[in-house]
Amino acid sequence: MNSMTCKAVVLLSGGLDSVYNLYASEKKWPNQVRALLFNYGQRAWENEKKAATDFSQSLNIPLQVIDIKSLFSEDKSSLTSSSSVPTDEVNIDDLRASQASAKKVWVSNRNGVFLNIGACFAEKWQADYVVPGFNAEEAVTFPDNSEEYIEKMNACLKLSTSNGVQIHCFSQKMEKVSIMREALKLGVDPEKIWSCYYNGAKICERCESCQRFLRALKANQ
């Protein structure tokens, strides 16, 4: 791969969805994939960095870290501030509970920022696609995970990038159980994934992200 070109730029966090999309991208476009990892001041940064580094190195995919902590320095999300992350009170089968949790962990226009930065790198690296880790399950409570969001972002990117960069997400129509199943088929080691909102020696198993990850893992054992 030419140092300045690739086919796809994957937005990698080290969580299930982004790791699956990393592996799916490499399968579809062998040796034509690069990855971006964002440090936006999230409390799980160190573990996300380790997971993203491990997975990108396992596939020999170049990984670039983008530090945008200052952009989110005054954000009130429980992911970037001292406020507590919702844990046991979240019932992932209860829509209202998930909606309440989503409000507390919402980071100001995070996906919009990520996708536009990804498109910037994709344009200068002559890539066709930016690949985020979205899914149908969380699109119910996070509108910036939805198909409608991708469609409208793609319309914007056709105008804002010289080569018409587009967003392509392999997991867009899938729920977590299916994503886990396909990730395992591609050789993803679930023990190296970090989907937890917290930073610790082990995942907390209590936040909404952990609950969804563990349910998907159990369903595939």
Side-chain angles (χ1 to χ4, degrees), residues 193-210:
I193 288 173
W194 191 266
S195 288
C196 185
Y197 287 148
Y198 281 102
N199 194 57
K202 297 180 179 180
I203 62 172
C204 76
E205 301 185 6
R206 299 166 57 204
C207 68
E208 180 172 0
S209 187
C210 275

Side-chain angles (χ1 to χ4, degrees), residues 20 30 76 104 170 192 215:
Y20 166 65
K76 304 302 181 183
K104 292 182 179 179
F170 292 91
K192 293 183 177 180
R215 179 171 66 180

